[in-house]
Amino acid sequence: EWVLSFMAITSVGAIAVAMNSHWQPDELRYALDDSGAKVLFADRERLAILARCVGLPDDLDVLAVHTSDLPIDRARHLETVLGESLDANGQASTTVDMPLATIRPEDDATIFYTSGSTGHPKGVVSSHRNVLAALMSWEFDGEVGRLVLGLGPVDPTPQRSALVGVPLFHVTGSHAVFLQAFREQRRLVSMYRWDVAVAAELIEREHIDRFIAPAAMTGDLVEHALVSDRDLSSLVALGGGGAPRAPEQVRNIDRELDNTAPITGWGMTETNAIGAGIAGPAYVERPDSSGRASILLDLRIVDDVGAELPVGERGELVVRGTSVISGYWNRPDANAETFVDGWLRTGDVAFLDDEGYLFIVDRIKDLVIRGGENIGCGAVEAALLEHPAVVEASVYGVPDDRLGEEVGATVFVRADVADDELRTFLSERLARFEVPRFITIESEPLPRTASGKILKRGLRDAAVDRLGR
């Protein structure tokens, strides 16, 4: 239903708004209000969250899928709506023509919400041209790569297959897996939620040749391959994204999965998932690199005043190209901060080597990237400060072998409070993945700089040392 509704929405010139399925009521309500959505497709779990939202937009039409319950008065079953034009034999009782829609390349096509370092998530608006440029760029880069390696065209028979194990509300799932399947005529095999044993069974049974997922999931698959007897020989490409892989995982893919090439890249929601890419032997030789720039994009490393830096020097990564969005939804403030002279400021600290390979080394933005999910530290801090016992809060990333980072927090409290109590409090305000796994409770004010800012890096380093990470 997600796939079909996405196709229907974009084919009539409307905008498809992809909402995070882990959101809590406040986040869902914000996105509905911010986007001005008129129709919401929701399953049982999302309907339950919607029922807890206060003051839904009066003109919101809710279509329910995969549920017998309708906790929202205005909700209707999608099957009922579709069946209204069928007769008793299931045949169309009336002819329904597709509405005439003049869609221009520069028209808005999608809104994907991405977390910033503070406040509510930003709506990333992509045009039809942006999305198509990304899809065709992957194809173009792939063809060039095969020519460089002296390889011939890909045999279209038998039909190739990809496993969908990541959410479609992120550009990795929607673009690199779902929409790219149209370009490559791939069959899609979908999972409801991640389970490594089920994934291995599907790869073996369905002869899956490509799987793209964050490092935590591809790492699970490699470890499962070592202890199970599943035949994963059909898997030709094991792609990553969202967060960097540990170098050892790259080597394990190359060593333990005979026919499988490790692949990764760098991209953003704002670039429609493309940016840089690397695969196979080049990746094994440079497991900490994100690869070379896509042929249709320009990458630069700049200093604090926007001057381009020479090879090897670290600075902020900026990008421009046809897949890069022109702006955020209703956020002129974010546009002014992010776009400078036609370049998109990424907030990533990086450098390019003398062969053009990109290396991401740090972040300027105050974000935690947990298993490919961007988590704004400011939003988590704000939620913590709502608790009556919390006086100060500092949120940061803690290294994690599987997820890349976990969320950590140090709080100064005025009364006794347990970390589990804080997590329960946050679970009603934040998505599950945003709730800190590690919480340090202090009875004294948090250390600050001379200018009054909390010494977040020092608190993070102390937590990492204490946890032995």
Side-chain angles (χ1 to χ4, degrees):
E1 287 84 0
W2 198 103
V3 168
L4 291 174
S5 60
F6 182 96
M7 294 165 65
I9 291 165
T10 53
S11 71
V12 298
I15 303 173
V17 183
M19 296 190 175
N20 192 314
S21 64
H22 300 297
W23 277 345
Q24 292 302 302
D26 287 350
E27 297 165 306
L28 179 59
R29 171 63 197 275
Y30 170 78
L32 288 172
D33 287 341
D34 182 64
S35 65
K38 301 301 182 186
V39 181
L40 175 69
F41 295 85
D43 61 6
R44 178 175 56 84
E45 293 87 350
R46 261 46 64 181
L47 285 169
I49 296 172
L50 192 69
R52 293 158 52 198
C53 291
V54 178
L56 290 173
D58 293 334
D59 58 351
L60 181 68
D61 193 3
V62 180
L63 299 179
V65 301
H66 289 287
T67 180
S68 58
D69 300 326
L70 294 177
I72 308 295
D73 290 340
R74 74 184 72 181
R76 296 180 293 165
H77 289 291
L78 178 61
E79 293 86 349
T80 301
V81 174
L82 295 177
E84 289 174 352
S85 61
L86 302 180
D87 60 24
N89 298 318
Q91 302 298 314
S93 58
T94 58
T95 300
V96 179
D97 294 325
M98 282 287 288
L100 294 176
T102 302
I103 302 174
R104 299 168 300 174
E106 61 272 18
D107 287 345
D108 296 337
T110 63
I111 298 177
F112 283 74
Y113 279 89
T114 183
S115 294
S117 54
T118 59
H120 290 296
K122 300 190 293 286
V124 177
V125 188
S126 291
S127 68
H128 290 269
R129 189 194 306 276
N130 292 150
V131 178
L132 289 170
L135 298 178
M136 299 181 76
S137 179
W138 273 315
E139 185 174 347
F140 187 24
D141 290 340
E143 289 296 325
V144 171
R146 279 188 283 273
L147 289 171
V148 169
L149 295 173
L151 303 176
V154 175
D155 185 355
T157 56
Q159 185 183 27
R160 292 171 290 160
S161 300
L163 179 63
V164 185
V166 293
L168 292 169
F169 56 75
H170 284 318
V171 288
T172 298
S174 67
H175 291 31
V177 183
F178 159 46
L179 292 176
Q180 190 66 5
F182 285 98
R183 295 292 304 171
E184 299 177 343
Q185 293 294 289
R186 284 183 178 273
R187 182 172 60 112
L188 294 178
V189 178
S190 298
M191 301 180 66
Y192 180 69
R193 61 166 53 89
W194 177 243
D195 182 314
V196 66
V198 174
E201 177 188 356
L202 288 172
I203 291 170
E204 179 182 55
R205 188 180 76 211
E206 304 291 342
H207 305 291
I208 302 295
D209 73 284
R210 185 171 73 175
F211 179 51
I212 299 174
M217 295 164 64
T218 58
D220 290 348
L221 189 61
V222 174
E223 291 183 10
H224 188 77
L226 297 176
V227 298
S228 74
D229 58 357
R230 291 292 182 191
D231 179 6
L232 306 184
S233 60
S234 64
L235 199 60
V236 174
L238 191 57
R245 282 190 177 110
E248 186 58 26
Q249 186 185 139
V250 180
R251 290 187 283 267
N252 282 342
I253 294 171
D254 181 62
R255 182 171 56 242
E256 305 297 343
L257 302 177
D258 293 338
N259 301 323
T260 308
I263 299 173
T264 197
W266 170 89
M268 304 171 65
T269 308
E270 288 88 339
T271 67
N272 280 281
I274 70 166
I278 189 169
Y283 188 18
V284 176
E285 292 171 9
R286 305 168 185 82
D288 50 351
S289 174
S290 298
R292 286 172 163 153
S294 167
I295 295 171
L296 300 184
L297 289 178
D298 294 324
L299 302 181
R300 275 185 182 175
I301 309 298
V302 301
D303 62 15
D304 292 342
V305 297
E308 186 171 6
L309 293 170
V311 166
E313 288 199 24
R314 298 183 177 192
E316 183 175 10
L317 172 64
V318 296
V319 58
R320 69 179 179 185
T322 316
S323 75
V324 178
I325 66 166
S326 59
Y328 297 102
W329 186 258
N330 295 331
R331 288 294 301 273
D333 58 324
N335 292 339
E337 178 185 355
T338 305
F339 297 93
V340 179
D341 297 330
W343 293 84
L344 167 71
R345 298 181 60 190
T346 68
D348 287 326
V349 179
F351 69 90
L352 292 165
D353 71 8
D354 55 3
E355 294 184 88
Y357 285 95
L358 175 68
F359 295 79
I360 307 291
V361 295
D362 203 351
R363 284 190 299 280
I364 298 172
K365 298 177 181 177
D366 196 9
L367 292 175
V368 175
I369 302 182
R370 179 189 182 276
E373 291 278 5
N374 284 5
I375 300 168
C377 295
V380 181
E381 290 165 352
L384 279 165
L385 290 170
E386 291 182 27
H387 192 283
V390 177
V391 181
E392 296 177 335
S394 181
V395 174
Y396 43 77
V398 176
D400 183 83
D401 289 340
R402 180 173 180 272
L403 296 170
E405 286 184 309
E406 275 282 12
V407 184
T410 301
V411 296
F412 163 44
V413 299
R414 61 167 57 95
D416 288 341
V417 61
D419 53 0
D420 282 345
E421 179 184 337
L422 290 175
R423 291 190 188 93
T424 300
F425 177 82
L426 293 175
S427 67
E428 299 174 356
R429 292 161 172 79
L430 301 172
R432 290 191 302 273
F433 63 84
E434 296 174 309
V435 176
R437 177 180 173 188
F438 305 106
I439 299 179
T440 301
I441 298 176
E442 301 285 357
S443 58
E444 299 291 336
L446 303 184
R448 292 178 177 270
T449 66
S451 62
K453 294 182 179 180
I454 292 176
L455 283 168
K456 179 170 293 193
R457 185 174 292 275
L459 293 171
R460 175 189 178 278
D461 291 345
V464 169
D465 289 342
R466 186 175 59 257
L467 295 167
R469 295 192 167 231

